[in-house]
Amino acid sequence: MTDLISTPEVIVATASRISPVCKPQEVANIAWALVKLNISTKPTMQVLEAQAQRMFNDFNPQNVTNFCWALAAEHLSNPGVWEQVREFVSRRISEFKAQEAANLCWSFAVVKRKIECLVVVDAYWLSADFGHHPSTILSLTWALHYLQVTDPRLDMAKSILLSHGRHLDGEAKKQDAIISLIHDGSGDRTSLEPHVSLDLWDRVAVCKPAGWEVEEKRKDYNDVGHVRSLSVFLRCSVSKSPPIWLDDDFHYGFIHRLDVPGSGLVLAAKTYQAFYDLQFQLQSGQICREYLALCHGWAPWTPETETHLEYSISSQLGAPSYVGKGKPSRTSLFLLARCIKPDTGDALSLMRVRIWTGRTHQIRAHSAHVGHPIVCDGKYSSAATFQRDCTRCPRNFLHRHRLVFFNSAGEPLEITERLPLDLRDALSQVQACADGWSNESLDSFLRNGT
């Protein structure tokens, strides 16, 4: 495969040449492989698309799923092809496996085919054969949210997920599941150690320092060397760990991640029911994740408006993510202050960032793509820029400072964590532009970290 990847033009040319004599499964697999390897071209995909249209009746559900995934990743929305997919799915929905149904809904959502997505979702609820697996339901929840569907389908998804959680929690009574953390976040806090920001009976918010990973046994240590994990920290914080904190299949209770070089708030569940509740909130867009970032360049936006970036992202373990083919991603940026580094004259922008999807390195990839890489980011800025940044900032200037989510009673909660001292020290080395609002905003962060 290494030899093949080194000559992608040969693969693409061969795919275009042989597709007219390929079998249905081969056409679907070629489309899937070209996109997966990130070497597909629009002309080649159009050749495969035309070939697929001629043989659609010979496709099986897996062929359709793979082909739709490839088209969606390429954002190809030829109405004729998707009408054929819709007709195929309507006739043969019972033949699709649960994961295939989930992948179909993902594809429909990406190309904004709402009716087709709802056909699959409704068939999924009515069919006992699908098994209602939680991972599939979460995928369907994401697709419905992405298509802005707000109806009883989401209520049904949440109900099934919570039922799965209660089953895993067993017959334990609510009071037996209450766990009080030893580290309650009181007293002096150091940016070098984690601390608990909010401790509820079934869920907890922890502030992760830079250099720590969320889950243990992570294989990707490219950003930093040796790291410690929040999962171990939580287990050491109680006299008896809840079962989910020992379960790697459920990410040790953690709902989302943070890059190792970054810092900020992370949610974890103490029960399986809380895990599914929070996962549902995440996939349905109910959790607000907000960051502070110092970026290169003066952002062209005004402080009164929020700027939305929507670029698909692809990622592979250990490698930088890249904008192009892949999963749809949305990031919102709000300019807080334009600044200057006095000794070098470098232009910088302090930003508040919100992510609506959670792709690997999403903020770092999106900000670099629009020409404003984050300060001290060795993966998404040039080597020279990174080396210069290291003299002013000890690490990636990205901090998740705010989370909004719901507790088990459905009540909204908001927690914030101010900038750690190392980032405030780095921020103290810059000077606000003489525009009034930049100076006021920068002063607030230097004084209070918020």
Side-chain angles (χ1 to χ4, degrees):
M1 185 175 285
T2 302
D3 292 339
L4 290 175
I5 293 175
S6 66
T7 55
E9 296 83 5
V10 174
I11 304 176
V12 173
T14 303
S16 297
R17 190 164 59 249
I18 68 173
S19 62
V21 295
C22 285
K23 299 175 182 178
Q25 181 175 346
E26 294 166 343
V27 171
N29 288 350
I30 288 173
W32 178 89
L34 292 178
V35 174
K36 192 71 174 177
L37 292 171
N38 195 37
I39 59 175
S40 58
T41 65
K42 188 172 183 179
T44 301
M45 292 300 295
Q46 288 173 336
V47 169
L48 293 169
E49 194 176 43
Q51 181 65 9
Q53 282 188 276
R54 290 192 290 270
M55 57 175 58
F56 223 90
N57 288 333
D58 297 321
F59 272 18
N60 62 36
Q62 184 181 22
N63 301 157
V64 171
T65 300
N66 287 349
F67 192 72
C68 287
W69 181 89
L71 293 182
E74 283 279 358
H75 297 279
L76 295 176
S77 53
N78 182 336
V81 174
W82 291 104
E83 286 300 326
Q84 283 186 289
V85 173
R86 177 182 178 180
E87 194 272 335
F88 184 99
V89 171
S90 298
R91 286 189 294 108
R92 302 177 61 177
I93 184 62
S94 61
E95 300 175 37
F96 283 82
K97 298 176 182 178
Q99 189 57 52
E100 291 169 347
N103 290 344
L104 265 182
C105 285
W106 180 89
S107 303
F108 291 146
V110 171
V111 295
K112 302 296 196 302
R113 304 289 297 194
K114 183 175 180 179
I115 294 177
E116 287 85 346
C117 183
L118 295 182
V119 167
V120 177
V121 171
D122 291 341
Y124 182 83
W125 296 142
L126 295 173
S127 173
D129 297 332
F130 280 129
H132 292 172
H133 193 276
S135 64
T136 305
I137 295 174
L138 287 170
S139 296
L140 299 183
T141 299
W142 179 90
L144 291 173
H145 168 64
Y146 193 75
L147 288 170
Q148 299 181 327
V149 175
T150 55
D151 62 22
R153 295 178 179 89
L154 284 176
D155 296 333
M156 185 177 295
K158 182 178 180 179
S159 176
I160 295 173
L161 288 169
L162 295 185
S163 177
H164 274 285
R166 286 192 294 271
H167 174 73
L168 291 171
D169 286 323
E171 299 300 323
K173 295 181 180 179
K174 180 175 178 179
Q175 56 266 30
D176 295 333
I178 296 176
I179 297 161
S180 296
L181 294 171
I182 296 172
H183 298 275
D184 62 358
S186 61
D188 293 334
R189 293 177 174 178
T190 169
S191 61
L192 301 178
E193 296 291 331
H195 60 262
V196 175
S197 298
L198 180 68
D199 182 17
L200 303 177
W201 77 270
D202 66 342
R203 60 200 75 190
V204 61
V206 187
C207 188
K208 183 190 89 68
W212 284 63
E213 62 180 354
V214 174
E215 300 174 33
E216 59 196 279
K217 301 179 191 174
R218 185 174 172 183
K219 303 300 183 185
D220 175 22
Y221 296 117
N222 287 353
D223 281 328
V224 293
H226 176 69
V227 293
R228 293 169 289 177
S229 68
L230 288 187
S231 55
V232 174
F233 165 78
L234 281 183
R235 290 203 296 272
C236 293
S237 300
V238 295
S239 56
K240 183 179 180 182
S241 297
I244 196 169
W245 286 3
L246 304 170
D247 194 338
D248 59 350
D249 289 335
F250 284 80
H251 308 286
Y252 305 101
F254 286 99
I255 306 304
H256 45 200
R257 307 184 67 96
L258 270 178
D259 296 341
V260 171
S263 59
L265 293 163
V266 183
L267 285 172
K270 298 179 183 179
T271 68
Y272 290 98
Q273 182 174 339
F275 179 85
Y276 281 127
D277 180 27
L278 289 170
Q279 281 289 356
F280 175 82
Q281 292 182 38
L282 190 66
Q283 298 302 324
S284 59
Q286 297 179 41
I287 294 181
C288 171
R289 292 166 287 176
E290 201 170 88
Y291 301 72
L292 297 172
L294 186 64
C295 302
H296 282 283
W298 283 346
W301 312 299
T302 63
E304 294 84 13
T305 59
E306 200 167 26
T307 302
H308 302 298
L309 306 179
E310 297 197 35
Y311 302 105
S312 294
I313 288 180
S314 292
S315 61
Q316 294 181 353
L317 185 62
S321 298
Y322 52 88
V323 169
K325 307 173 183 72
K327 298 178 180 179
S329 308
R330 187 183 187 195
T331 304
S332 295
L333 303 177
F334 186 90
L335 178 62
L336 295 172
R338 293 195 183 107
C339 314
I340 298 175
K341 184 74 165 58
D343 56 342
T344 63
D346 290 352
L348 301 167
S349 294
L350 182 63
M351 315 277 269
R352 187 171 70 233
V353 185
R354 180 177 179 180
I355 57 172
W356 302 84
T357 53
R359 311 305 180 201
T360 302
H361 299 174
Q362 177 175 321
I363 297 175
R364 298 162 69 182
H366 273 182
S367 58
H369 183 72
V370 296
H372 299 287
I374 293 171
V375 166
C376 211
D377 190 340
K379 279 190 181 241
Y380 295 93
S381 56
S382 69
T385 298
F386 177 62
Q387 291 299 322
R388 190 168 68 252
D389 285 348
C390 288
T391 65
R392 72 175 71 148
C393 187
R395 48 94 171 185
N396 195 333
F397 200 116
L398 185 63
H399 175 70
R400 185 189 282 163
H401 81 117
R402 179 172 174 261
L403 284 175
V404 181
F405 61 100
F406 295 89
N407 64 14
S408 58
E411 301 164 335
L413 298 174
E414 178 179 352
I415 51 176
T416 58
E417 278 289 342
R418 61 183 184 171
L419 276 175
L421 287 174
D422 59 346
L423 296 187
R424 271 187 276 167
D425 287 342
L427 199 59
S428 68
Q429 301 175 40
V430 306
Q431 177 180 317
C433 290
D435 54 19
W437 53 270
S438 289
N439 190 65
E440 181 179 344
S441 182
L442 186 61
D443 281 349
S444 174
F445 281 99
L446 291 175
R447 286 195 311 269
N448 309 314
T450 57

